[in-house]
Amino acid sequence: MKSVSPRSCARGFAVGVLLAACVVDVLFSGSDGTSVLPTASPVWPTLGVLLVGLAAVLWPEGRRPDRLTPQVRTAVPALVSALYSVGSLVTLRTNVFGPGEVVILLCLLFIAVRQCPPRAAWWCGALDVVALLLLPVRLLGPLDPGVLGFMVAALVLIALFAGLAVYLRTMDYRRTLAVSETRRAERVAIAADLHDFVAHHVTGILVQTQMARMMARTQPQDIDPVLAGIERAATEALASMRRTVGVLRDTGEDADRRPVGDLAGIVDLTDGFASPVQRVTLHRDPAVSDDLPHEVQTSAFRVVQEALTNIRRHAADAAHVEVLLRDDAGRLVVSVADDGRGGTQLPAAAHGGGFGLVGLKERVTALGGELHAGPRGGVGWEVRAVIPAGKR
């Protein structure tokens, strides 16, 4: 049975309150004093305004057509409401409004400020504000003293909703920057690891080629141009790699280098993680070769390292951690699963910023693999990576 999250419960409660408020609007506008049913003629314009607003607020994101942009969602219902209010003023007819329309316009203001592009957010938000401030004119007329009191209360609500939307939009922007920086840093780390790998082997090629050239002096002369071309290509590849990494890195030559791990290093990781209260089991498929490409081994090491670190941070109550390395039709499957329930003794400041898995996913997907992190079927959490492991 799938559990319901608190966020889903809160959303369902908010939707229920909004629909109940709209029902109140319909009952008020359609009341003629003789029946509890909304039979009076003003009910139809009110119902139309509410349906347009509800469609803009409640239309599921996954089923929303592309043309229903945040600008359209926030501008059209506000324009319909404003035209209804202006029409009531022009025709000198009294048309009531209720809490449903007020809440809808406030929700549209929130959407406009948080989701619309910067320029469109201003005019869409302004249109929602104007429509909200015109509501009392529809009922009381422009000269009634009660209009001022309603506008003061409306301005307070407008400030609260707009302020919350601005705050959340700022947090979204900061998180986007943080995620981008994490991805950039991880790509730099990949380039550094790739540099170490290529530099090692290309340097070996260079040395062996130089030796072969010396040996070739006693051999036919036509071998030497071939070996000279290999030497030149290896030298250029090494120089190009150094230039590339130099551009990617922001630090100087003396900066600390990140440690590079491999499959053998995973054994040290698991041994060092185990404690009297936490048992770590490492299962390695005999089909997993030690001759996997360096970048694949490094990524597997980082998956295990990040997963164990997150267990320390977020699931210190886990009694058993299972690390699995297996071959799946030429792909390396790395899995780290625990039986923790989310208990931790670490202070909140030590929990990290939540971007480790973002960088890890960037590393794995850059190699053509997939990364999944989420709860297990029963209790605990699992981090699982599938990485193409073609032999070099």
Side-chain angles (χ1 to χ4, degrees):
M1 181 177 179
K2 187 177 180 180
S3 60
V4 181
S5 65
R7 184 175 181 179
S8 300
C9 292
R11 179 179 176 84
F13 177 77
V15 171
V17 170
L18 177 60
L19 294 177
C22 291
V23 171
V24 172
D25 285 21
V26 173
L27 293 177
F28 279 173
S29 62
S31 176
D32 59 0
T34 61
S35 173
V36 295
L37 297 177
T39 56
S41 58
V43 70
W44 298 112
T46 300
L47 187 60
V49 171
L50 292 176
L51 290 178
V52 173
L54 287 174
V57 174
L58 301 181
W59 199 317
E61 183 177 0
R63 302 179 180 178
R64 195 181 301 153
D66 295 337
R67 62 179 178 273
L68 197 61
T69 62
Q71 298 93 299
V72 174
R73 292 171 59 204
T74 56
V76 172
L79 185 61
V80 171
S81 176
L83 290 177
Y84 184 31
S85 299
V86 172
S88 299
L89 181 63
V90 171
T91 58
L92 300 179
R93 294 185 60 182
T94 299
N95 293 308
V96 299
F97 68 95
E101 190 172 356
V102 174
V103 174
I104 287 176
L105 291 174
L106 288 174
C107 291
L108 294 176
L109 174 63
F110 179 88
I111 295 172
V113 175
R114 186 178 184 187
Q115 299 182 7
C116 288
R119 291 185 179 180
W122 286 100
W123 64 266
C124 287
L127 190 58
D128 293 323
V129 170
V130 170
L132 187 60
L133 295 179
L134 283 176
L135 290 180
V137 176
R138 184 192 307 173
L139 176 64
L140 304 175
L143 303 179
D144 193 283
V147 172
L148 180 60
F150 176 86
M151 287 188 173
V152 171
L155 289 174
V156 173
L157 293 175
I158 289 170
L160 290 175
F161 275 73
L164 178 61
V166 169
Y167 171 77
L168 293 177
R169 183 166 185 154
T170 302
M171 293 296 101
D172 292 341
Y173 176 72
R174 290 181 178 178
R175 179 171 179 83
T176 300
L177 289 181
V179 170
S180 299
E181 177 61 23
T182 300
R183 288 176 173 170
R184 188 199 66 82
E186 196 63 33
R187 287 187 177 274
V188 173
I190 294 173
D193 292 344
L194 185 61
H195 168 266
D196 295 336
F197 167 66
V198 175
H200 171 76
H201 290 277
V202 172
T203 303
I205 293 173
L206 180 59
V207 172
Q208 294 182 39
T209 305
Q210 290 173 338
M211 294 177 60
R213 289 193 63 191
M214 290 188 294
M215 295 175 60
R217 292 173 183 174
T218 59
Q219 302 297 326
Q221 193 65 28
D222 57 345
I223 299 179
D224 189 74
V226 178
L227 297 177
I230 296 175
E231 180 182 1
R232 182 172 58 254
T235 304
E236 291 175 356
L238 185 58
S240 176
M241 184 60 64
R242 284 174 176 169
R243 288 194 300 269
T244 302
V245 176
V247 172
L248 290 174
R249 282 179 173 170
D250 296 330
T251 55
E253 291 292 333
D254 297 329
D256 292 336
R257 299 290 297 278
R258 297 180 60 168
V260 179
D262 53 12
L263 295 184
I266 294 178
V267 178
D268 297 331
L269 271 180
T270 54
D271 291 342
F273 183 84
S275 67
V277 296
Q278 286 183 321
R279 182 167 56 93
V280 182
T281 304
L282 174 60
H283 299 286
R284 177 171 174 174
D285 187 351
V288 176
S289 171
D290 287 326
D291 196 35
L292 293 177
H294 175 81
E295 59 271 21
V296 174
Q297 296 195 44
T298 301
S299 298
F301 179 89
R302 291 290 306 282
V303 168
V304 177
Q305 185 182 52
E306 180 66 22
L308 294 179
T309 301
N310 285 339
I311 291 173
R312 286 283 194 224
R313 289 174 174 170
H314 306 294
D317 61 335
H320 182 216
V321 179
E322 185 176 14
V323 181
L324 173 65
L325 301 175
R326 66 180 179 89
D327 180 79
D328 180 17
R331 301 182 302 171
L332 177 63
V333 178
V334 184
S335 173
V336 181
D338 65 85
D339 58 357
R341 299 179 180 271
T344 178
Q345 298 176 353
L346 295 179
H351 287 179
F355 302 119
L357 290 177
V358 174
L360 202 59
K361 185 173 184 179
E362 185 72 13
R363 170 184 286 270
V364 172
T365 54
L367 298 175
E370 300 176 355
L371 179 73
H372 170 76
R376 302 171 66 186
V379 295
W381 193 270
E382 181 183 24
V383 177
R384 185 174 184 271
V386 181
I387 310 170
K391 298 294 181 64
R392 57 175 180 265

